[in-house]
Amino acid sequence: MSSQHDDGHSRERILAAATRLFAERGYDATSTRAIGEAVGLNIATVAYHVGAKPELYRAVMRRAHLAQREAVTAALRRLDACAPTPGGTRAGLLGFVDSYLAFCLDHPEVPALWMRRWLAEGGELAEIETEFAGPLVTEVAAAVRAVLDRAGLGAGADVELLVFTIVWTAHSFAQAGVIDPDGRRRGPRDLPTFDRFRRHLHAVVTGVLDRED
């Protein structure tokens, strides 16, 4: 086995462990030592493969962003291909919502990482929002606006806030589910809870499109 292969394998193991720990504990509460211990490596070896903690965190967030961008880009292509009618566009946008929700359920570490940042974890690394989150939200909002305008829908809608609303709610639901009247947490894998949430999110999106200002 080549040294280069060993290096690549070690880096992947480190990134996987770092992703899990940053998602579970946040940036501030996760040490390089803890990441190294999770994969059986010392701090010096971790630093050799991925750099210091800020570089490791950037690498983790970059991988999360690329996975998110890939899913969103595919969903936007499907949205752009929808029929340019009010009905077709509503269905296309709800399909986009479902695609993003499915991504959050399939990759729970991604919403967890971003929610940690919403709590000001790793706040000194503000370039992560500048490089990743900001441009992607702008791109999605512009694409959604173009599709809505094409169909004559949502003239008064704040599309950027609509995109954020989808992100906030999908991330939160994917992590926490809902609390039922008995105080029990119903997670996103509980099908009746998932269906209820999905219908509600659809109603929110449709309501924004049909609102008359």
Side-chain angles (χ1 to χ4, degrees), residues 98-111 174 189:
D98 288 346
S99 294
Y100 191 70
L101 182 56
F103 169 79
C104 290
L105 296 185
D106 291 341
H107 300 84
E109 73 282 359
V110 175
R189 298 296 179 182

Side-chain angles (χ1 to χ4, degrees), residues 101 103-105 107-108 111 115 169-177 187-188 197:
L101 182 56
F103 169 79
C104 290
L105 296 185
H107 300 84
M115 290 178 73
T169 52
H171 284 204
S172 299
F173 178 73
Q175 288 298 295
F197 172 78

Side-chain angles (χ1 to χ4, degrees), residues 1-186:
M1 184 178 293
S2 69
S3 175
Q4 183 176 7
H5 179 81
D6 289 342
D7 286 352
H9 181 61
S10 295
R11 177 179 171 81
E12 287 301 313
R13 290 172 57 221
I14 293 167
L15 286 174
T19 298
R20 176 175 58 82
L21 292 174
F22 284 138
E24 290 176 355
R25 306 177 184 179
Y27 177 81
D28 299 333
T30 301
S31 65
T32 307
R33 183 181 300 277
I35 294 168
E37 289 175 352
V39 292
L41 299 173
N42 59 39
I43 294 177
T45 304
V46 171
Y48 167 77
H49 287 292
V50 293
K53 179 178 169 179
E55 285 70 42
L56 175 54
Y57 184 66
R58 288 189 192 96
V60 166
M61 293 305 296
R62 183 176 296 109
R63 281 160 61 99
H65 166 73
L66 291 175
Q68 188 178 29
R69 172 171 280 282
E70 181 179 5
V72 166
T73 299
L76 286 178
R77 284 197 297 266
R78 292 191 292 271
L79 174 60
D80 186 61
C82 73
T85 62
T89 299
R90 284 191 185 90
L93 187 56
L94 295 181
F96 175 85
V97 170
D98 288 346
S99 294
Y100 191 70
L101 182 56
F103 169 79
C104 290
L105 296 185
D106 291 341
H107 300 84
E109 73 282 359
V110 175
L113 287 166
W114 282 113
M115 290 178 73
R116 287 289 183 181
R117 288 199 62 77
W118 297 349
L119 296 173
E121 292 279 357
E124 67 272 21
L125 300 170
E127 70 272 14
I128 289 175
E129 274 73 22
T130 303
E131 182 179 353
F132 301 144
L136 185 57
V137 169
T138 299
E139 180 181 333
V140 173
V144 171
R145 179 79 271 168
V147 170
L148 293 179
D149 288 347
R150 187 178 68 186
L153 278 177
D158 188 326
V159 174
E160 185 178 61
L161 276 182
L162 178 60
V163 171
F164 273 119
T165 298
I166 294 167
V167 171
W168 294 329
T169 52
H171 284 204
S172 299
F173 178 73
Q175 288 298 295
V178 300
I179 304 298
D180 71 13
D182 295 325
R184 293 174 297 185
R185 187 176 301 280
R186 300 292 185 181

